[in-house]
Amino acid sequence: MAKEPMRVLVTGAAGQIGYALVPMIARGVMLGADQPVILHMLDIPPAAEALNGVKMELVDAAFPLLKGVVATTDVVEACTGVNVAVMVGGFPRKEGMERKDVMSKNVSIYKTQASALEAHAAPNCKVLVVANPANTNALILKEFAPSIPDRNVTCLTRLDHNRALGQISERLSVQVSDVKNVIIWGNHSSTQYPDVNHATVKTSTGEKPVRELVADDEWLNGEFITTVQQRGAAIIKARKFSSALSAASSACDHIRDWVLGTPEGTFVSMGVYSDGSYGVPSGLIYSFPVTCSGGEWKIVQEAGTVDPEPVAPEEGPEPDLPEVDLLCLESFDEAAEDFFSAMLD
Ligand SMILES: NC(=O)C1=CN([C@@H]2O[C@H](COP(=O)(O)OP(=O)(O)OC[C@H]3O[C@@H](n4cnc5c(N)ncnc54)[C@H](O)[C@@H]3O)[C@@H](O)[C@H]2O)C=CC1
Ligand SMILES: O=C([O-])CC(=O)C(=O)O
């Protein structure tokens, strides 16, 4: 019997990531090749015409799985009945800016959208925040949508995870699909810590540790880390726009693994609320290694203690005991201060 369609919200759907993401969803990349979808696309009134253009293209593409399109500038209409919400809407940073520089603009958007999701989304709606600063926006959304379970509010660090897989694959000239179990700890920001200490490569004689195959700790503890940390800025410099294709694809990976499960023996990175694991204060949205099954994520607990003994990078948290990324806390304080003073005005 055919499955019931799932309603998927994409905010900022007229933007760069939105334009790359909605056809992927409509093609089944996010929820599976047998899962019909109804797309809910939200943008702001100045983008209404462009949004309608995207809707026209979705119709023209005749996606068999696409059972309906809601294209709207009304946040309540957009959020009504959605099972999955991908929060992309916001202002992207430009060349020379840090992601936290777009905070004051983006954080205020998240209260309104949190309230609309809280009141109108389907029960158990799964939320993925993509817009920067992603961890902080997710935290704000979680605070202002208290009836959405904490574990349903996540942010995207899968792009950083995939970037790390890509760098290892290029370095070793192996297929990216043979590399697994890198970890992104912390924030989707330049303070994140990409960790290869548990990563392996499938070879003809079994799985081998990445550290052993690369055999160059200086590169792994230096250039590899900074390349992943700075990749977003490098793409902006090259394209003059942020990484839309890879962000869209990674957003599909994040939701697909969350809903359909991670392969046996594989973990992925997700920004999820901390339960205190690895000493990260409870309640923060922080990127951990997770496995997923039955629509639930679970933080991998042994990643901090598994051999081989990790080698600490010059900067950033120790791989076996990641420190709390203070930017997350500071950012939240600043954002909350701006936000609450704006409310009092
Ligand atoms: N977490 C991650 O890995 C990544 C995050 N990003 C972030 O994703 C966000 C979107 O990036 P792009 O698509 O490149 O930007 P974009 O500027 O092309 O698109 C953003 C869209 O959001 C819309 N928007 C603005 N305010 C809105 C609101 N209140 N409600 C609904 N829509 C609204 C804009 O009109 C625009 O259409 C940015 O914050 C960017 O920094 C980008 C790449 C990766
Ligand atoms: O760097 C940016 O502003 C866009 C982004 O988050 C990324 O590509 O990782």
Side-chain angles (χ1 to χ4, degrees):
M1 204 174 69
K3 290 181 169 176
E4 278 294 300
M6 285 177 73
R7 291 180 181 269
V8 183
L9 167 67
V10 176
T11 70
Q16 290 275 322
I17 297 176
Y19 190 69
L21 179 59
V22 291
M24 293 184 191
I25 300 171
R27 234 179 216 296
V29 177
M30 178 178 275
L31 291 166
D34 62 346
Q35 178 58 62
V37 290
I38 297 174
L39 270 168
H40 287 219
M41 304 194 298
L42 175 71
D43 214 296
I44 49 176
E49 198 179 346
L51 188 66
N52 195 40
V54 178
K55 180 177 176 179
M56 287 156 65
E57 285 205 69
L58 286 169
V59 171
D60 294 349
F63 294 108
L65 289 172
L66 187 59
K67 302 301 177 194
V69 181
V70 177
T72 181
T73 57
D74 180 320
V75 68
V76 170
E77 187 185 4
C79 292
T80 298
V82 296
N83 308 101
V84 173
V86 188
M87 313 302 285
V88 183
F91 293 85
R93 68 167 163 160
K94 302 285 183 220
E95 202 173 334
M97 293 165 80
E98 281 296 320
R99 295 190 184 96
K100 66 185 163 82
D101 297 333
V102 292
M103 174 137 21
S104 56
K105 288 185 187 341
N106 285 345
V107 156
S108 63
I109 295 173
Y110 280 81
K111 192 225 158 198
T112 318
Q113 297 187 348
S115 307
L117 281 174
E118 158 104 346
H120 302 285
N124 209 27
C125 172
K126 286 180 160 55
V127 182
L128 166 62
V129 177
V130 176
N132 282 315
N135 299 61
T136 306
N137 290 340
L139 193 54
I140 300 278
L141 193 148
K142 180 166 86 67
E143 295 302 312
F144 285 98
S147 71
I148 297 182
D150 288 348
R151 52 185 308 104
N152 285 24
V153 180
T154 65
C155 81
L156 189 70
T157 54
R158 183 63 174 268
L159 174 54
D160 310 288
H161 180 103
N162 288 345
R163 286 168 172 162
L165 295 177
Q167 288 302 306
I168 298 297
S169 138
E170 292 228 306
R171 174 78 182 198
L172 292 173
S173 298
V174 297
Q175 297 299 319
V176 73
S177 53
D178 289 337
V179 189
K180 67 176 189 180
N181 295 354
V182 296
I183 304 171
I184 302 298
W185 299 101
N187 268 13
H188 176 66
S189 78
S190 52
T191 61
Q192 66 179 253
Y193 176 56
D195 176 359
V196 295
N197 290 302
H198 313 286
T200 60
V201 178
K202 188 164 95 189
T203 71
S204 53
T205 54
E207 283 182 1
K208 298 259 165 57
V210 161
R211 218 171 250 291
E212 184 185 311
L213 292 178
V214 171
D216 183 350
D217 282 347
E218 195 181 326
W219 181 78
L220 281 173
N221 298 336
E223 193 183 330
F224 162 76
I225 290 178
T226 48
T227 300
V228 176
Q229 288 173 332
Q230 299 297 335
R231 191 67 160 187
I235 304 279
I236 292 171
K237 189 159 185 292
R239 254 173 48 83
K240 313 297 171 217
F241 294 110
S242 55
S243 342
L245 175 165
S246 51
S249 178
S250 302
C252 290
D253 289 343
H254 175 115
I255 297 285
R256 188 198 58 241
D257 285 347
W258 188 5
V259 173
L260 300 176
T262 41
E264 183 68 33
T266 298
F267 46 78
V268 295
S269 304
M270 281 172 69
V272 297
Y273 89 94
S274 171
D275 59 2
S277 293
Y278 298 101
V280 177
S282 300
L284 284 185
I285 305 276
Y286 191 91
S287 181
F288 290 100
V290 301
T291 54
C292 305
S293 170
E296 300 289 342
W297 52 263
K298 191 165 146 209
I299 296 174
V300 175
Q301 291 301 332
E302 62 272 25
T305 52
V306 175
D307 285 335
E309 261 320 289
V311 181
E314 277 177 20
E315 284 188 11
E318 292 275 337
D320 59 342
L321 189 61
E323 287 168 11
V324 176
D325 185 343
L326 287 178
L327 177 66
C328 186
L329 291 167
E330 283 163 14
S331 305
F332 183 60
D333 285 350
E334 282 167 28
E337 203 173 294
D338 288 354
F339 180 70
F340 288 115
S341 48
M343 285 214 318
L344 291 174
D345 281 346

